[in-house]
Amino acid sequence: MPHAFARKSPLILWGIVSLLLLTSCASAPKAPSPPPLVQEEAASETGSDQHHFNSLPLILMPGLEAVVRSDEHRHIFTKHLEVSSNPEITEAQRALVAAKISAFTTSVDTEARTVVSPRAELNIRSHLVAISENVMGIRIESFESTDTASGTNYQTQWFDLKHHAEGTTRDLFDTDASWVTFKKLVTRELNNDPQRHTRSPLLLEKAWLDSVTFDLRGNALVQLDDDAPSTEARGPLMVSVKAEEVTDLLSDFGASVRSTLTSPRTLSRLHSRLSTTAKVPQLNPAAPQAPEGTVAPKRRSINCSTQKCVALTFDDGPGPKTAKLLDHLKAGNAPSTFFVTGPNAKLRPQILQRIVSEGHQIGNHTWNHRSLPSLSLAQIRREIDRTDTVITEAVGSSAALLRPPYGARNSAVDRAAKAPVILWDVDTLDWKHRNTAKVVKAAVQQSTPGSIVLMHDIHSSTVDAIPAVISGLKAKGYTLVTVGELMGQTGLLPGETYSSGPHPVTKTAHKAGKDRR
Ligand code: NI
């Protein structure tokens, strides 16, 4: 299996703009004190809870945004970070993801030329782990599974914001001799690690060092990739080298990285500066609390056993385009269903509130978008529950529906689901072609009474298609409904799978869509 991202460029000269806002608000008017800094646990979300890294709110850096992409057929899900004011960071993140996807698809396509193995999966997630005026750190966790191997690898990308450069792990250390000394220290710790089952000495591989970071006390941390051969450890193996042993080995950049991670004061200073500027939303938006029952609009009286209904569904959001989508749905009077992922829901609670208050339904699309059948029952539950917690915080009640990522399910998933499992019978393939006309054509021409249509509100090509999708379906006599409304007459049972609703023409075929897939 391809190991780490190969692009280890030396310091790259950067463009001009960076952290514009950070340097420009010294004279800003006095603002109310900022809300508390929220740090979110990032690593080991589905794996072992042994080690935790703090994932920082993206709001700490102006223009920073998480971009989600998925390949539904190959089971690829990626989340990378883009910074509008720093194209070089965006480029470095895109290149990393592209290289991993390319390596993965090559190995998967070679293994199975015609049918992609159900075990094949690539899940890449980037987290902001360090930010100051001088330094930005992005931690990348990549889970990869093929027919022959599976595991997670860890990597950290460092950016020197002062000198407009990407720094490699090597750049954290001073001279070649310091680098060699550090590697020796890591090897020593590895060979002393009680987690390793064998006493045989371990040779350090270069690729294992690409995750170097520091804890709050300044100790250097190296997290070995799951597939690192001969570690023979159970769970992720983390090596820690004592702060005092590392101090003299660091370059100026390395020292700057370490002080960013060891001084929370840098963060709160940054945060209080940011919150004095007008356009930056609050970390914990003072959104109107939405106690149960107050947000939901009036129920419509719709009977999809007698009316021709279609349920439009949107996965993987909410994203930057979701507000526009909601405008289209409102204009077209088309209640729909949104299957949200936990991190995106956490990022945009106001959008969730808007979804509910405008008559749409919210479903759970898990936290990490992992293919659930390959997880343990406890991990599946955690994927679902964490997302439900965020949804409940935003809108006052948990998701009534579950859509497993990639539609991948088995009996364990069904058992773990406390909600009905909703699949689809019309796949617009919008993630693949990103073509507005094709989305319209698929949704309008392939829908039959009772159809559930799969789309993704993270793509503008999909959002732009919606006015024509709505008018096209209405011209064919369809009423657009939520999944709950679609199933209203036949009912929905937790743990049961549905890929379409009742078909009014064949009313005798009850439970029309159940387990049809
Ligand atoms: Ni999805």
Side-chain angles (χ1 to χ4, degrees):
M1 177 162 42
H3 226 276
F5 172 50
R7 186 174 158 237
K8 291 288 169 196
S9 53
L11 296 186
I12 305 160
L13 274 182
W14 275 12
I16 349 145
V17 204
S18 89
L19 289 178
L20 201 61
L21 216 58
L22 296 181
T23 51
S24 65
C25 36
S27 59
K30 198 166 163 51
S33 60
L37 206 63
V38 180
Q39 296 198 1
E40 175 200 326
E41 167 201 334
S44 311
E45 280 160 345
T46 52
S48 142
D49 283 336
Q50 227 170 352
H51 301 291
H52 297 275
F53 283 86
N54 283 327
S55 180
L56 302 171
L58 302 187
I59 202 70
L60 287 172
M61 187 171 191
L64 180 61
E65 201 173 276
V67 177
V68 168
R69 293 280 179 264
S70 64
D71 176 330
E72 299 284 330
H73 289 170
R74 284 197 172 96
H75 291 190
I76 300 174
F77 177 86
T78 63
K79 184 173 92 177
H80 72 271
L81 303 184
E82 300 200 347
V83 193
S84 53
S85 57
N86 269 296
E88 293 78 9
I89 295 177
T90 300
E91 199 37 56
Q93 276 271 288
R94 284 183 185 170
L96 183 148
V97 168
K100 283 182 182 291
I101 289 177
S102 158
F104 173 75
T105 49
T106 305
S107 65
V108 166
D109 290 350
T110 310
E111 275 180 11
R113 282 182 196 285
T114 45
V115 184
V116 176
S117 159
R119 288 187 51 195
E121 182 180 1
L122 178 65
N123 182 285
I124 305 174
R125 282 170 288 118
S126 295
H127 304 279
L128 177 68
V129 290
I131 182 74
S132 67
E133 285 89 343
N134 303 329
V135 165
M136 179 183 187
I138 301 177
R139 186 175 164 78
I140 304 105
E141 232 183 304
S142 315
F143 171 81
E144 186 172 333
S145 170
T146 65
D147 268 344
T148 47
S150 79
T152 304
N153 73 49
Y154 308 89
Q155 195 175 335
T156 314
Q157 278 184 324
W158 294 109
F159 299 95
D160 182 339
L161 300 175
K162 219 176 185 176
H163 301 102
H164 306 284
E166 178 181 355
T168 65
T169 304
R170 167 66 187 85
D171 295 324
L172 299 175
F173 297 87
D174 196 5
T175 60
D176 284 346
S178 335
W179 178 232
V180 170
T181 306
F182 178 69
K183 288 197 279 190
K184 278 183 185 158
L185 291 170
V186 173
T187 310
R188 182 197 70 196
E189 293 303 321
L190 261 176
N191 286 322
N192 291 337
D193 195 311
Q195 274 194 79
R196 288 184 65 231
H197 289 170
T198 62
R199 297 284 103 208
S200 58
L202 183 69
L203 291 174
L204 189 66
E205 285 188 21
K206 195 182 160 205
W208 297 353
L209 286 169
D210 62 4
S211 71
V212 172
T213 182
F214 301 92
D215 67 14
L216 273 169
R217 290 184 209 90
N219 304 313
L221 303 175
V222 179
Q223 184 152 23
L224 296 199
D225 299 341
D226 282 356
D227 62 341
S230 75
T231 55
E232 293 170 36
R234 290 166 62 223
L237 185 53
M238 176 80 78
V239 182
S240 167
V241 180
K242 288 207 171 64
E244 54 271 27
E245 289 185 297
V246 175
T247 304
D248 291 341
L249 306 177
L250 296 177
S251 63
D252 288 349
F253 178 58
S256 170
V257 163
R258 189 165 79 160
S259 73
T260 297
L261 287 158
T262 50
S263 62
R265 247 196 263 157
T266 317
L267 264 185
S268 38
R269 197 170 57 234
L270 195 63
H271 179 240
S272 68
R273 279 202 202 169
L274 277 175
S275 51
T276 60
T277 64
K279 281 188 178 169
V280 179
Q282 302 286 288
L283 276 181
N284 279 330
Q289 254 304 303
E292 218 158 337
T294 58
V295 210
K298 278 181 191 158
R299 280 182 189 281
R300 306 188 296 168
S301 80
I302 281 170
N303 184 345
C304 293
S305 313
T306 55
Q307 279 171 267
K308 280 169 65 180
C309 299
V310 165
L312 302 181
T313 67
F314 300 95
D315 287 12
D316 296 355
K321 315 282 179 337
T322 307
K324 192 178 168 198
L325 171 62
L326 286 167
D327 293 343
H328 290 326
L329 295 174
K330 194 176 196 175
N333 185 28
S336 303
T337 306
F338 291 80
F339 291 96
V340 302
T341 63
N344 281 347
K346 191 170 181 173
L347 207 57
R348 298 183 169 83
Q350 307 96 321
I351 292 287
L352 260 66
Q353 288 157 13
R354 216 188 130 188
I355 287 173
V356 173
S357 69
E358 294 181 6
H360 309 289
Q361 194 171 16
I362 293 179
N364 186 323
H365 198 44
T366 77
W367 193 270
N368 285 322
H369 207 277
R370 283 284 308 277
S371 177
L372 298 180
S374 62
L375 302 181
S376 72
L377 198 61
Q379 287 172 325
I380 297 172
R381 279 252 50 97
R382 187 160 159 74
E383 282 284 316
I384 297 170
D385 289 345
R386 284 187 81 185
T387 305
D388 260 342
T389 302
V390 169
I391 294 171
T392 306
E393 278 167 15
V395 300
S397 58
S398 66
L401 310 166
L402 172 72
R403 173 167 284 163
Y406 313 112
R409 48 158 290 277
N410 58 11
S411 53
V413 173
D414 295 348
R415 265 201 312 280
K418 288 177 192 158
V421 178
I422 307 300
L423 302 174
W424 58 87
D425 65 342
V426 174
D427 188 351
T428 59
L429 300 177
D430 61 337
W431 54 271
K432 195 175 187 180
H433 50 63
R434 311 250 193 101
N435 180 310
T436 297
K438 285 183 178 173
V439 174
V440 176
K441 195 177 169 194
V444 174
Q445 293 188 359
Q446 293 174 31
S447 287
T448 55
S451 276
I452 298 175
V453 182
L454 171 65
M455 290 178 281
H456 298 80
D457 53 327
I458 50 175
H459 303 303
S460 42
S461 44
T462 300
V463 172
D464 292 345
I466 294 310
V469 168
I470 295 171
S471 58
L473 286 169
K474 286 194 168 172
K476 292 174 95 173
Y478 286 106
T479 303
L480 293 165
V481 296
T482 65
V483 169
E485 288 172 329
L486 182 71
M487 300 296 189
Q489 298 303 306
T490 51
L492 285 163
L493 298 171
E496 292 280 2
T497 304
Y498 304 86
S499 53
S500 65
H503 195 300
V505 187
T506 57
K507 259 203 283 185
T508 43
H510 288 306
K511 287 183 166 185
K514 201 185 136 216
D515 275 336
R516 207 169 76 180
R517 255 173 81 92

